[in-house]
Amino acid sequence: QSNTYDREISEAMHFRRWLDIKSCLKLNLYWMETKRGQKNYDPTQKYRLVWDVMTFNMNLLIKRAGKDATMDETTWPNSSYADMHNKFVNKKTNMGGQHVLLLDAKRRYIYAYTARHKFYEPVPGWNAMGPVEVKRMVDLLSPLIKGNPKDANDTRRQIFEHPPHITLDNFFSGDQVIHYLGERGYKATMTCRRDRLPNLGLGKEDKNYFNHVKGRTVDQRSKVARFNQPIVAVKHVLGDQVKGTKPYTVVHCSFQSTGRTNISCVNSMSKVGLYVHERNRGRGNEKRTWAIEMNQLHETYLKMYSAVDKTDQTILGYNIDYRCWKWWHALTRHAKAIAMSTAYDIYVQCSEGG
């Protein structure tokens, strides 16, 4: 007999039998599983163990969290009609599911996640999906900040010195999110949807004070207008000791005359000004140089928002997509892929001496 072969193991169970068991094994306490329609029904209960283990283990590995984080959704393809799956528009796949991740903006380590489905208990005053997901994420993140109270059963370590700066896209934007984060001392930068522009108290006339047109014709006039100072609105809000809210500063920047780019921030900066960035393409006699308009909010957003997108891009190279025996295998598979990407990020940091 060689060291790579054991007769007892070989005769006890065939490899194919092990694969069959693995394909049907549930990663949860299935005898305690609640059914759809029952109170506290959780559609993530079949697979969430692997997501929780990944998140909690990263919390134990991180000595001190970064100051900047990115919040965005990650998508996996699946053609089933389970509670975690929906039809998508403007995605590479027309069916699948999504979870919202909070990652370190630089290292892409996962801090928290929240599932996207329709079985949450409604929160009064929070009607849009994006903003209420921000609220859930803040509730998950708050116990990780040093000095904040946390549940006795929460074994996660407090790894944040202060509330982090969070970058979000326009799906999560709005005045409600800005004020909710600001009152709790968080910093945030986000693109702003045209239907969620700052409330100036003028009703439908609010949008006339910002760039709200979907697109403009590119001509000499619009090209020149790009290099005018952006529209900037600043609001300082005082704290309330009775309610326990903190003072904060909201800045909204509306710019780029050929489009309707609007970026809002809270506590990340107090003023915004226009400058230009040089761009080059080609080399030698064919090299072209031009300038693009830029401001502090725009540059901050561009540098911070792509952590989740880069993780998704990395996962594509792993080529682990396959047809699943059960619908929840797709979500388990996706979590394993994120863990593989995170493991590589840890390796890179260790190689750099971090």
Side-chain angles (χ1 to χ4, degrees):
Q1 292 184 358
S2 66
N3 293 331
T4 59
Y5 177 80
D6 188 298
R7 179 177 295 174
E8 293 183 0
I9 294 178
S10 178
E11 295 177 352
M13 181 183 295
H14 194 271
F15 180 64
R16 179 68 253 175
R17 173 61 177 164
W18 181 81
L19 291 178
D20 289 340
I21 293 175
K22 183 175 178 292
S23 66
C24 298
L25 182 67
K26 293 185 178 182
L27 297 177
N28 72 313
L29 304 176
Y30 59 89
W31 58 89
M32 299 175 61
E33 188 176 298
T34 55
K35 303 298 182 182
R36 184 172 181 176
Q38 294 180 347
K39 187 178 180 180
N40 298 324
Y41 170 65
D42 181 10
T44 71
Q45 59 194 345
K46 291 182 179 294
Y47 66 88
R48 69 173 299 149
L49 178 62
V50 65
W51 287 82
D52 289 342
V53 168
M54 174 177 61
T55 306
F56 277 69
N57 284 354
M58 281 308 304
N59 175 265
L60 296 177
L61 284 173
I62 297 172
K63 181 178 180 180
R64 183 172 58 253
K67 297 180 180 180
D68 298 295
T70 303
M71 179 176 167
D72 202 358
E73 65 269 358
T74 181
T75 306
W76 62 86
N78 195 278
S79 297
S80 70
Y81 291 91
D83 292 340
M84 294 301 302
H85 295 75
N86 298 284
K87 290 184 178 180
F88 294 140
V89 180
N90 298 326
K91 293 287 184 181
K92 292 183 179 179
T93 177
N94 62 349
M95 283 287 292
Q98 292 179 320
H99 278 3
V100 180
L101 307 181
L102 184 72
L103 305 184
D104 183 86
K106 180 181 179 182
R107 294 294 183 182
R108 304 204 295 268
Y109 297 154
I110 185 169
Y111 294 136
Y113 80 94
T114 179
R116 178 171 288 177
H117 59 76
K118 59 183 179 181
F119 295 96
Y120 289 106
E121 289 292 331
V123 181
W126 296 80
N127 301 319
M129 180 180 292
V132 77
E133 287 176 339
V134 176
K135 184 181 185 304
R136 290 194 206 107
M137 194 66 76
V138 170
D139 292 341
L140 291 171
L141 192 62
S142 181
L144 304 184
I145 301 172
K146 292 183 179 180
N148 283 6
K150 68 174 186 176
D151 190 89
N153 297 324
D154 191 347
T155 58
R156 296 177 299 167
R157 295 168 50 247
Q158 294 187 330
I159 56 178
F160 289 94
E161 296 289 342
H162 305 284
H165 170 262
I166 305 175
T167 307
L168 313 100
D169 62 20
N170 60 9
F171 183 78
F172 306 98
S173 64
D175 271 2
Q176 189 178 23
V177 172
I178 286 287
H179 295 300
Y180 186 81
L181 293 173
E183 290 173 351
R184 286 155 181 79
Y186 287 84
K187 297 172 281 292
T189 302
M190 65 193 75
T191 50
C192 187
R193 282 174 39 164
R194 288 185 298 152
D195 59 346
R196 295 180 184 172
L197 293 172
N199 182 9
L200 303 179
L202 302 177
K204 295 182 179 180
E205 299 297 322
D206 285 349
K207 65 180 182 180
N208 295 330
Y209 291 87
F210 305 102
N211 289 327
H212 64 282
V213 179
K214 186 175 182 179
R216 285 194 176 93
T217 303
V218 179
D219 52 23
Q220 186 63 27
R221 179 180 179 181
S222 64
K223 289 180 179 179
V224 172
R226 296 182 195 179
F227 300 98
N228 290 332
Q229 288 291 340
I231 302 170
V232 180
V234 180
K235 182 178 182 179
H236 302 285
V237 182
L238 299 176
D240 190 332
Q241 293 183 352
V242 177
K243 296 181 179 180
T245 60
K246 300 179 180 179
Y248 57 96
T249 299
V250 180
V251 176
H252 182 87
C253 179
S254 187
F255 61 97
Q256 209 166 31
S257 61
T258 55
R260 39 80 175 129
T261 306
N262 290 270
I263 299 182
S264 299
C265 78
V266 57
N267 290 335
S268 59
M269 57 189 67
S270 58
K271 60 180 180 179
V272 178
L274 181 72
Y275 53 91
V276 295
H277 268 186
E278 181 181 302
R279 286 290 182 268
N280 299 290
R281 179 166 293 180
R283 57 184 178 181
N285 295 331
E286 300 297 326
K287 184 176 182 179
R288 297 183 293 112
T289 302
W290 69 98
I292 62 171
E293 71 167 313
M294 189 59 63
N295 58 67
Q296 291 89 342
L297 264 181
H298 193 194
E299 186 171 10
T300 299
Y301 179 80
L302 291 177
K303 288 182 177 180
M304 299 295 177
Y305 86 105
S306 60
V308 178
D309 294 334
K310 288 179 179 177
T311 298
D312 286 341
Q313 185 180 14
T314 304
I315 291 173
L316 291 177
Y318 296 158
N319 196 26
I320 65 169
D321 290 338
Y322 54 86
R323 292 190 179 186
C324 302
W325 186 265
K326 300 288 185 179
W327 67 264
W328 44 270
H329 287 185
L331 298 98
T332 305
R333 175 195 67 203
H334 194 70
K336 292 178 180 178
I338 295 174
M340 291 170 62
S341 176
T342 304
Y344 176 74
D345 294 330
I346 295 174
Y347 163 75
V348 170
Q349 183 175 2
C350 293
S351 300
E352 295 173 350

